Each structure stands twice: as structure tokens, then as C-alpha cells.
Amino acid sequence: MSSTPTKILVPADDLRTFSAALLEKGGLSAEHARTTAEVFVWAAQRGVDSHGTARVPAYLDLLAKGVANAQPQMTIESTAPAAAVLDADRAPGPVALTAAADEAVRRARETGIASIGVRRTVHTGAIGYYVSRIAEQGLVGLGFVAGMPNMGYTGVKGAAVATSPLAIAVPAREHAPLLLDMATATIALGKIRQAKASGTPLPEGAAATADGTPTTDPELAVMPLPLGGAKGSGMSLAFELLTSVLVGAPIFASFHAGDRKHRQNALLIAVDPAAFGDPEAFAAGVDDTLGTLKGLPVADGADGVFYPGERSAAVAEERGAKGIPVAAKVWRELSEQADRLGVTVPRLEG
């Protein structure tokens, strides 16, 4: 008796084309649909399934409800060569932040460093994509995002701040780029949902009930706790100031005053190594640093020494060759959306 597969292998190009077709039927322009699909498939290819193609049905819902603007009129405001604000007009996060990353690179080539604030976007997806896009151009990328409060804050009863992420990408020459992509939470909301579905207890200090009481019971857990306690919650608050407040679109204060409409803000920074010296020497220095790390003695029980982004880059290479595993439930949801929207589902071999 054969069992139903839990994962379906889909070639990356097919998954990208299929996701883009669904998003275009959902109302996005062909270009914006491709951009958004690219971000989701990038995450899925690197093994970040929580931000991968499982987000497509949720995004179709955001578009259908008008939470995300399918035809945004994005504008860039700037009073200084090295800084600008991109008003996203509620554009999908991948559309707004991809544009911001490219603008940051363009300006940093002229000024050595450039920062682009993004105002009024919605769910940004994996912010590692945008800083990686900057690093692909040979520049260092930094990114911060602030969103809706859904995480505890040390000393506060209930949800107070967002699980706001930080990402840094540093280009190398012989190695895959360093990519640090982390939330300020101990555990992702998606991990709490997965634990609830499987009945698996949560780690100590990772999640809390609605009133902020720590719990390991996935049935009672509704929000993550900050990474490192006051350190994680303090970082999240700082990111709100660096993004939302900086671009004149505060989320934290207005949320706690009663405005619960979903929105996110961001700040992307591009740094050109050429402004600090010889860019080739910098790239060689990055390689030397990463190589030195990997040459250090391996601790007992460890399976190797890895730098941030190394393993996900290896996963991306493997999945690029063999296909991207998509959960059967997600593939079913995508197929149902395809039937509803009149999109052809890719034919899969085997």
C-alpha cells in the first residue's frame, strides 16, 4: 500500500513561473508578480519554508482584501544624495523592498553608503533576499523591518513589540556570502503553529500565553518571547525607531492607541567597500576571515563549523539541481487557487 507523499519536488523555475502566474491573476502586474514570486521561491530554495511559496495563498488573500495594493503608485522622496524614502503605497513587501535595494545600490555607488527607508508596505517576506541582492552587486547590505506587535516585551503583560528582523549580507569571492538573517524573537510564529499541529512541546522560554505567561504548551502559546529577554525586545523597539518613526509612519504607538491595520516599514542600507579602500582586498579579507573560521577545531559532537548563510546557500544549490520540496498541503492549496483563477498547474515528472 503506497502512502501519500508529504513533500512534492518542483523545479525552481516551474515554481517561480507558477507562483508568478497565480499572483498576476490575483491582481499584480506581470513585473510585480515575478518580483514577488522570486522572493518567495528564493526563500523556499534556501529551506526557509515559512517564508516560501506557502505565502502565495496568504498573499492572494491580502490582495483580494485590499490589504496589499495590487496597483501601487510608489514614489521616492529625497533631500540628500545618500538617503531617500520610498513610499510604497501599500505595495507588496517584495515589490517595495526590491525597489529600495536597487535604489540603495545605485546611490551607494555614488556616495559610498546609502540608506532607503520604506514607508507603508505590507508583509516583506524574507529580508535576507534584499540584503543578498545588494551583496550580489559587491556591496554590503543591511536591513531592518518593523511590523505589527506580536511578541512580548520584558515586563509588559501581553504582546507589545514586533518580531522585527535584522539581516546583514557581506559579499565574498571564494565563499558564499555571509548572510545573517534573524528575528528578534526566540522562536518564529510559524514554529509555534507547527508545534501545535504536531503536539510537540515548545522549548523553555520561547513562547507565552496571551497575557505573557511563559509556556511550553503549544495549545496555550500564542506569541513568541524576545530573543535574550530584554536584549531582543530592546532591539525590536530600536528597529521601530529606525524604520517606522524615521519615515513618519509609526506602528508601535498607533497600534497601542488602537490602530490595528496591517502594515510594515523598513530601512535598507548599502555600503560600498570601494569607499573604504581596495574592494578586492576587502573581498580577499572576507574570504580569509571565513576560511579561518572554518579551519578552527571542531567541537565534540558538532558536525562542522559554519558561518551564517553557508548552509542555506548549500541547500539552495542542491534544491536548484534536484527541485524544491513543497509540502503536499501547500501544493494542494496552490493547485486549488490555480483552478479558481484559471492557471495551469505545472506537470511534474514522476
Side-chain angles (χ1 to χ4, degrees), residues 82-93:
V85 175
L86 186 151
D87 190 295
D89 190 27
R90 293 183 296 108

Side-chain angles (χ1 to χ4, degrees), residues 148-149 240 244 249-261 263:
M148 306 299 287
E240 165 72 4
S244 307
I251 294 177
F252 174 84
S254 62
F255 176 90
H256 289 293
D259 181 2
R260 304 298 166 92
K261 185 177 180 180
R263 69 271 194 205

Side-chain angles (χ1 to χ4, degrees), residues 148-163:
M148 306 299 287
N150 58 357
M151 179 177 80
Y153 185 96
T154 305
V156 173
K157 185 175 182 178
V161 291
T163 57

Side-chain angles (χ1 to χ4, degrees), residues 218-264:
E219 290 294 331
L220 299 176
V222 298
M223 67 176 180
L225 288 170
L227 183 68
K231 296 177 182 178
S233 55
M235 287 173 69
S236 177
L237 189 64
F239 295 170
E240 165 72 4
L241 299 177
L242 284 173
T243 59
S244 307
V245 176
L246 189 65
V247 299
I251 294 177
F252 174 84
S254 62
F255 176 90
H256 289 293
D259 181 2
R260 304 298 166 92
K261 185 177 180 180
H262 170 74
R263 69 271 194 205
Q264 294 189 342

Side-chain angles (χ1 to χ4, degrees), residues 29 52 94 227 327 330:
S29 68
L227 183 68
V330 172

Side-chain angles (χ1 to χ4, degrees), residues 107-349:
R107 288 175 180 251
R109 292 233 187 267
E110 299 293 326
T111 57
I113 183 170
S115 54
I116 308 295
V118 179
R119 178 170 59 213
R120 296 195 307 143
T121 188
V122 300
H123 190 270
T124 57
I127 66 165
Y129 172 83
Y130 312 108
V131 294
S132 294
R133 189 178 179 93
I134 292 170
E136 283 172 6
Q137 302 298 314
L139 281 71
V140 175
L142 296 87
F144 309 89
V145 169
M148 306 299 287
N150 58 357
M151 179 177 80
Y153 185 96
T154 305
V156 173
K157 185 175 182 178
V161 291
T163 57
S164 301
L166 154 72
I168 302 171
V170 183
R173 193 167 48 194
E174 303 297 331
H175 290 85
L178 178 139
L179 174 58
L180 176 70
D181 186 351
M182 56 172 279
T184 48
T186 300
I187 191 172
L189 274 168
K191 294 286 187 186
I192 295 176
R193 286 192 289 267
Q194 287 173 358
K196 185 174 183 178
S198 62
T200 309
L202 294 161
E204 290 280 352
T209 61
D211 68 359
T213 304
T215 182
T216 59
D217 186 344
E219 290 294 331
L220 299 176
V222 298
M223 67 176 180
L225 288 170
L227 183 68
K231 296 177 182 178
S233 55
M235 287 173 69
S236 177
L237 189 64
F239 295 170
E240 165 72 4
L241 299 177
L242 284 173
T243 59
S244 307
V245 176
L246 189 65
V247 299
I251 294 177
F252 174 84
S254 62
F255 176 90
H256 289 293
D259 181 2
R260 304 298 166 92
K261 185 177 180 180
H262 170 74
R263 69 271 194 205
Q264 294 189 342
N265 300 305
L267 182 72
L268 292 181
I269 300 170
V271 180
D272 188 353
F276 294 81
D278 180 0
E280 289 300 317
F282 173 72
V286 173
D287 279 333
D288 185 47
T289 301
L290 300 179
T292 299
L293 174 75
K294 293 194 65 61
L296 295 177
V298 179
D300 293 342
D303 58 356
V305 178
F306 302 94
Y307 60 87
E310 181 183 5
R311 283 188 279 199
S312 60
V315 170
E317 189 172 339
E318 181 185 358
R319 291 185 172 187
K322 297 181 179 178
I324 298 174
V326 178
K329 179 177 179 289
V330 172
W331 188 252
R332 191 163 57 248
E333 288 176 356
L334 293 173
S335 300
E336 287 168 0
Q337 293 283 5
D339 288 343
R340 181 178 69 83
L341 295 169
V343 172
T344 303
V345 179
R347 292 187 62 181
L348 303 176
E349 296 179 8

